[in-house]
Amino acid sequence: MIIRLGYVAMSTVVKNASPSKTMTVTNFSKLLDREAAIRKLERLGAENLHNTLRLLRHNRAHDIMVFRFSSRFIPLIGHEMLADWDPIPTLSAEFEELGAYAKQAGMRVSFHPDHFTVLSTPKEDVLQKSILDLERHNAMLNVMGLGPEAMCNIHVGGSYGDKKKAAKRFIQNFSTLRPEIQKRITLENDDKTFNALETLEIAETVGAPMVLDVHHHAVNNEGEDAAELWPRIQQTWTNGLPPKIHVSSPKSENDPRSHADYVEAGPLLVFLRAIAPVTPKLDIMIEAKMKDEALFRLMEDFKLEEGIVVLDQASIQL
């Protein structure tokens, strides 16, 4: 099994390269010249995109081919007081440069829209805002020149007192999305509500690939073994991409759901060795607090393990 490692959104190694510099609603409201305030938001967006390009260059230098973009490239986009503002065309040159670099380097990039983007909601206004958010993510990927291989990962959402009804709502609402948006979506199990088996059943129903979060599964399951679920999860990946999983380690015994700074290699390897015989390729998104530093440390830990061949700075063969 060939495994590539990636990390999320920002680097703890590259300094002064935040991809999500922002402006508060309060500060925006204080600016008397609305057009000048909007131009300032667009300048911040351009800076965030430039910093993300710096991160991609850093990743390429370290053979990191899997990366999640920040969903906060453009400050306040989607806010109700800026409903008539579409900054994506204004920033098209920056987006195009970013996408061209990712494609030229052969990187797998993705988004993970925020937790308020939920398709299981019973509230029509929340649903419409969620759909608009998915449309914005899709528009950013389109202007980058990236096809359906660049995906948006979401959770099923809340149960709202009746998990079966919430699951049915998700399936129904998913079916109303434009096909282009549907093809962008992956589904991930969460740590409190929809567990891996429940998420898998929904993913199979709507035809979306499933991203298994191994940490979430450890704290939210009904006794199912992740490795036993894996063949079904792998079969949801029908779009030609290697399946992807999320990994992190518990912060502490008292706080098992929060993410630690780094990833413990031992528990992860138990799962990886179990699925290796049936999995040719796998991409791993590291969700540890120390970002790329956690990736580099995990690679060092892998070097000490038997049966692992290091392929480059961010991939191994197991």
Side-chain angles (χ1 to χ4, degrees):
M1 179 169 67
I2 294 174
I3 299 170
R4 301 188 300 179
L5 302 181
Y7 68 100
V8 175
M10 61 185 66
S11 169
T12 56
V13 176
V14 182
K15 303 305 178 186
N16 301 313
S18 171
S20 51
K21 292 183 179 180
T22 191
M23 181 193 298
T24 65
V25 173
T26 301
N27 285 339
F28 180 85
S29 301
K30 288 177 181 176
L31 298 173
L32 300 180
D33 186 332
R34 179 180 169 84
E35 286 303 311
I38 287 175
R39 298 294 85 78
K40 185 171 183 179
L41 293 177
E42 291 169 351
R43 286 195 299 273
L44 284 171
E47 188 174 351
N48 288 337
L49 290 165
H50 172 72
N51 282 342
T52 302
L53 184 59
R54 288 177 59 200
L55 296 181
L56 292 192
R57 289 176 174 143
H58 161 71
N59 293 350
R60 190 176 189 180
H62 292 90
D63 304 315
I64 299 169
M65 293 292 128
V66 181
F67 185 67
R68 181 193 300 165
F69 289 138
S70 168
S71 285
R72 298 175 183 174
F73 278 151
I74 305 172
L76 303 185
I77 189 171
H79 194 280
E80 56 190 18
M81 69 179 182
L82 288 161
D84 58 342
W85 175 53
D86 181 8
I88 295 174
T90 304
L91 297 170
S92 60
E94 289 84 356
F95 275 114
E96 287 168 11
E97 185 178 19
L98 190 60
Y101 189 90
K103 281 199 296 185
Q104 192 271 332
M107 293 178 177
R108 180 179 186 174
V109 293
S110 61
F111 277 121
H112 193 343
D114 287 334
H115 63 276
F116 57 78
T117 300
V118 286
L119 298 181
S120 65
T121 177
K123 296 182 178 180
E124 183 62 26
D125 61 328
V126 175
L127 175 61
Q128 291 309 313
K129 287 178 181 177
S130 299
I131 292 172
L132 286 173
D133 191 48
L134 292 172
E135 289 281 0
R136 280 190 296 271
H137 281 83
N138 181 62
M140 288 189 283
L141 293 169
N142 281 344
V143 79
M144 286 188 225
L146 301 175
E149 74 283 351
M151 306 192 77
C152 293
N153 184 61
I154 62 173
H155 296 284
V156 176
S159 63
Y160 305 98
D162 190 325
K163 192 183 286 188
K164 288 185 178 180
K165 284 186 178 179
K168 287 181 179 179
R169 270 196 308 274
F170 180 95
I171 293 166
Q172 171 59 31
N173 292 333
F174 185 96
S175 73
T176 67
L177 300 174
R178 294 190 301 112
E180 181 182 345
I181 305 296
Q182 292 182 13
K183 290 177 182 177
R184 291 274 194 201
I185 291 178
T186 57
L187 298 184
E188 176 195 351
N189 56 302
D190 68 63
D191 60 346
K192 292 182 179 178
T193 310
F194 284 91
N195 63 34
L197 179 57
E198 292 162 342
T199 303
L200 173 58
E201 290 171 345
I202 294 170
E204 290 171 335
T205 300
V206 301
M210 177 176 165
V211 173
L212 174 67
D213 189 305
V214 180
H215 182 179
H216 289 171
H217 176 70
V219 297
N220 181 24
N221 65 79
E222 297 294 335
E224 305 90 356
D225 183 273
E228 291 180 5
L229 290 177
W230 180 251
R232 281 176 62 188
I233 294 172
Q234 187 171 216
Q235 286 175 5
T236 65
W237 287 89
T238 59
N239 58 4
L241 293 172
K244 183 195 286 186
I245 66 171
H246 290 176
V247 303
S248 51
S249 295
K251 185 175 181 179
S252 67
E253 286 187 13
N254 294 330
D255 188 7
R257 285 186 164 83
S258 296
H259 295 178
D261 287 347
Y262 299 96
V263 177
E264 293 181 52
L268 173 59
L269 280 169
V270 171
F271 173 73
L272 294 179
R273 288 190 168 116
I275 69 168
V278 298
T279 312
K281 294 181 179 180
L282 181 71
D283 287 341
I284 294 180
M285 184 64 71
I286 293 170
E287 295 190 318
K289 295 295 185 184
M290 292 304 290
K291 309 293 183 180
D292 45 349
E293 280 188 69
L295 186 155
F296 297 140
R297 180 178 290 192
L298 186 59
M299 282 297 298
E300 291 301 314
D301 291 342
F302 280 159
K303 291 176 183 177
L304 304 176
E305 298 286 340
E306 291 185 8
I308 289 180
V309 177
V310 174
L311 301 178
D312 57 33
Q313 297 174 85
S315 63
I316 61 170
Q317 186 165 6
L318 180 61

